[in-house]
């Protein structure tokens, strides 16, 4: 990756629908070399996919709940089962294995508290959990899908 690739990624993270010709113009390349760089970053897995970022309120998923999960089961079989259970819930948009006091953290989006309660009852009905603690986000202060690129290793080419 070089500085031009990083500039391309910055533009794509802001607007993945930007035409390649415009991206090329902004980074000092013609369309074909710019397209080749984008294709190479897709092939290399730097660009995983291009998606539309939706407004949660406009699709009736405006309530965000952070769900901290503790378990007494710390083995690969249980983790695979738990991951499969969580995978089936469209409400879960992020899922992490954590260090510290909490074993797993889920970010769940739902329309309201009632929908969260329904989700919660289904979750605990599918797998045994030691403790589940839910925190409702009162306000989203910052949200971005853009990763910081200042840490990307840049070649001198």
């Amino acid at each position: 990756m070089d500085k031009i690739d990083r500039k391309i990624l910055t533009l794509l993270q802001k607007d993945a629908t930007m035409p390649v010709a415009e991206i090329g113009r902004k980074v000092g390349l013609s369309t074909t070399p710019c397209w080749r760089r984008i294709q190479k970053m897709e092939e290399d897995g730097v660009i995983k996919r291009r998606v539309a970022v939706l407004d949660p309120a406009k699709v009736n998923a405006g309530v965000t709940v952070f769900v901290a999960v503790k378990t007494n089961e710390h083995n690969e079989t249980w983790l695979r089962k738990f991951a499969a259970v969580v995978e089936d819930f469209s409400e879960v948009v992020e899922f992490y294995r954590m260090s510290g006091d909490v074993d797993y953290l889920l970010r769940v989006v739902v329309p309201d508290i009632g929908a969260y309660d329904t989700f919660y009852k289904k979750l605990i009905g599918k797998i045994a959990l030691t403790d589940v603690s839910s925190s409702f986000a009162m306000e989203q202060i910052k949200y971005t899908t853009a990763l910081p690129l200042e840490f990307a290793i840049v070649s001198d080419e």
Side-chain angles (χ1 to χ4, degrees):
M1 180 178 302
D2 62 15
K3 290 178 183 179
I4 293 173
D5 290 335
R6 200 157 72 175
K7 288 178 185 177
I8 290 169
L9 291 172
T10 297
L11 293 169
L12 287 173
Q13 285 192 112
K14 288 179 184 170
D15 182 3
T17 66
M18 185 181 294
V20 175
E22 186 177 344
I23 295 170
R25 184 176 49 72
K26 289 184 177 201
V27 301
L29 293 175
S30 63
T31 303
T32 302
C34 183
W35 179 242
R36 283 192 193 119
R37 284 174 177 262
I38 292 169
Q39 284 182 315
K40 174 89 167 80
M41 287 188 281
E42 287 175 337
E43 290 167 7
D44 291 347
V46 175
I47 299 172
K48 293 175 84 172
R49 63 186 179 267
R50 299 183 203 194
V51 299
V53 179
L54 308 180
D55 181 331
K58 293 188 178 173
V59 296
N60 200 28
V63 174
T64 297
V65 188
F66 294 95
V67 182
V69 174
K70 292 182 183 180
T71 180
N72 288 330
E73 297 287 334
H74 296 279
N75 60 71
E76 192 173 331
T77 303
W78 187 89
L79 174 56
R80 278 197 307 267
K81 180 181 178 188
F82 184 45
V85 165
V86 169
E87 186 68 34
D88 286 341
F89 285 102
S90 63
E91 302 94 330
V92 179
V93 294
E94 294 181 67
F95 175 31
Y96 300 94
R97 187 168 58 86
M98 306 295 289
S99 65
D101 292 336
V102 171
D103 295 313
Y104 300 93
L105 184 66
L106 312 176
R107 185 167 75 91
V108 176
V109 293
V110 290
D112 53 40
I113 292 173
Y116 175 72
D117 190 46
T118 300
F119 159 81
Y120 171 79
K121 288 173 183 173
K122 287 180 187 174
L123 177 66
I124 63 171
K126 292 186 178 226
I127 193 156
L129 303 171
T130 302
D131 183 56
V132 179
S133 176
S134 306
S135 298
F136 289 80
M138 301 302 293
E139 177 184 10
Q140 185 180 71
I141 297 169
K142 179 180 178 179
Y143 172 78
T144 183
T145 61
L147 296 176
L149 295 175
E150 61 265 22
F151 305 114
I153 298 170
V154 177
S155 67
D156 294 331
E157 297 174 18

